Amino acid sequence: IFDTAAGPDVIPVVLVILVVLWGIGQVARSRSALADELRQRNRELQALRADRAALEVADDRRRVSEELEALLDERLSELEATAEAGRSIDDPQRAREVLLSVEEDSRRTLDDMRQVVGVLRGGEVTLAPTPSVAHMDALLTRMGQDRLTVRGDPRVLPASLELSAYRIVEHLVGALADDGAQMAVQMRFAEDALEIQVAGPVPRGVDLREPVARAKERARLHAGSLDAKVVRGRARVVARLPVLDR
């Protein structure tokens, strides 16, 4: 195709346009390469930031571990001194007071350890309150249960005892309610103990030995007892956790 209106005179204009377009292409290519490099640098910076955060967390955990070790040394020394002083006491009432003091300090140490270990594990325990008897309704609702009966005079008990009561119910109901059957859960606040009763049908194929064993270990932590019976496909578990006078 030959255009009579386009002669040799338009060649300089076309060359200028071509140069401008080539320059624009080079700038776009340079900007694209720069954007790719910035994205790569950003990824590297994010990785470095993550590594730095991990190092800071590791350093914090090391520091917390040292604090835990110092706490244990201090508390164990105090308990040893208290127990040693109690050996020379002849008065039974005074000896009982010393034993109660040792028990209270021991449980306080366990609570402090639980908080520190929660920090070491990532803060799960510090972000949520320690499970207690007050959370029992929520636990049963989450497991599809709604039959909680409370008898006696409800009151605040030692944190470690309330946690054990919560775990006992969690172990037992978690096993017995495997097929959605309704359990009868009862708590009785006696003057000297917290009594827990869990009753209901045993799901087919469910082995209660492990959850009962775990619940027994919880009861033994407080010098308590746990009795489990299965009669005609129905289980009845009664746990008793003593509460020492304060």
Side-chain angles (χ1 to χ4, degrees):
I1 300 174
F2 179 75
D3 188 357
T4 57
D9 297 338
V10 302
I11 293 179
V13 177
V14 172
L15 291 176
V16 170
I17 294 175
L18 291 176
V19 170
V20 171
L21 292 177
W22 180 82
I24 293 175
Q26 289 297 107
V27 171
R29 179 181 179 183
S30 175
R31 287 182 177 274
S32 178
L34 180 61
D36 291 340
E37 183 179 359
L38 289 176
R39 283 193 290 269
Q40 179 64 26
R41 293 288 179 86
N42 187 39
R43 286 192 292 268
E44 293 176 357
L45 288 175
Q46 289 178 350
L48 290 175
R49 189 180 298 113
D51 292 341
R52 179 179 177 182
L55 290 175
E56 292 178 352
V57 170
D59 182 69
D60 289 342
R61 290 185 176 180
R62 178 192 57 79
R63 176 179 53 80
V64 173
S65 298
E66 293 176 353
E67 293 178 359
L68 175 60
E69 183 178 0
L71 172 66
L72 286 177
D73 290 340
E74 178 184 356
R75 294 292 173 82
L76 290 177
S77 299
E78 294 175 357
L79 292 174
E80 182 180 3
T82 303
E84 187 67 25
R87 294 178 58 185
S88 59
I89 298 177
D90 297 331
D91 184 8
Q93 181 62 29
R94 177 56 181 163
R96 179 180 176 83
E97 293 177 357
V98 172
L99 290 176
L100 289 175
S101 175
V102 171
E103 184 213 10
E104 184 176 356
D105 291 342
S106 300
R107 292 181 177 180
R108 180 164 55 90
T109 301
L110 288 176
D111 291 338
D112 293 340
M113 287 177 58
R114 187 179 298 112
Q115 293 179 359
V116 175
V117 172
V119 174
L120 292 175
R121 294 176 59 187
E124 295 90 342
V125 177
T126 58
L127 291 176
T130 302
S132 64
V133 172
H135 301 92
M136 203 74 74
D137 280 326
L139 171 67
L140 296 177
T141 300
R142 189 167 64 250
M143 292 183 171
Q145 304 295 315
D146 56 1
R147 298 180 60 187
L148 173 63
T149 304
V150 179
R151 302 184 184 278
D153 184 19
R155 61 189 184 276
V156 177
L157 301 175
S160 58
L161 189 143
E162 292 206 6
L163 175 61
S164 293
Y166 181 94
R167 295 303 185 198
I168 288 173
V169 174
E170 184 180 39
H171 294 325
L172 297 175
V173 175
L176 292 173
D178 185 63
D179 60 351
Q182 289 296 311
M183 303 293 106
V185 182
Q186 176 180 305
M187 289 192 305
R188 189 174 78 88
F189 289 83
E191 293 184 1
D192 60 346
L194 174 64
E195 297 179 358
I196 304 169
Q197 178 177 302
V198 179
V202 180
R204 182 175 300 176
V206 172
D207 188 355
L208 292 181
R209 285 178 295 183
E210 181 178 353
V212 168
R214 297 175 67 180
K216 279 187 177 181
E217 288 299 323
R218 280 287 179 177
R220 289 172 182 167
L221 287 176
H222 306 276
S225 61
L226 187 142
D227 180 56
K229 295 182 179 179
V230 178
V231 179
R232 296 181 180 179
R234 291 187 62 86
R236 182 176 179 271
V237 183
V238 179
R240 190 176 188 276
L241 307 178
V243 180
L244 296 178
D245 296 332
R246 298 294 171 186

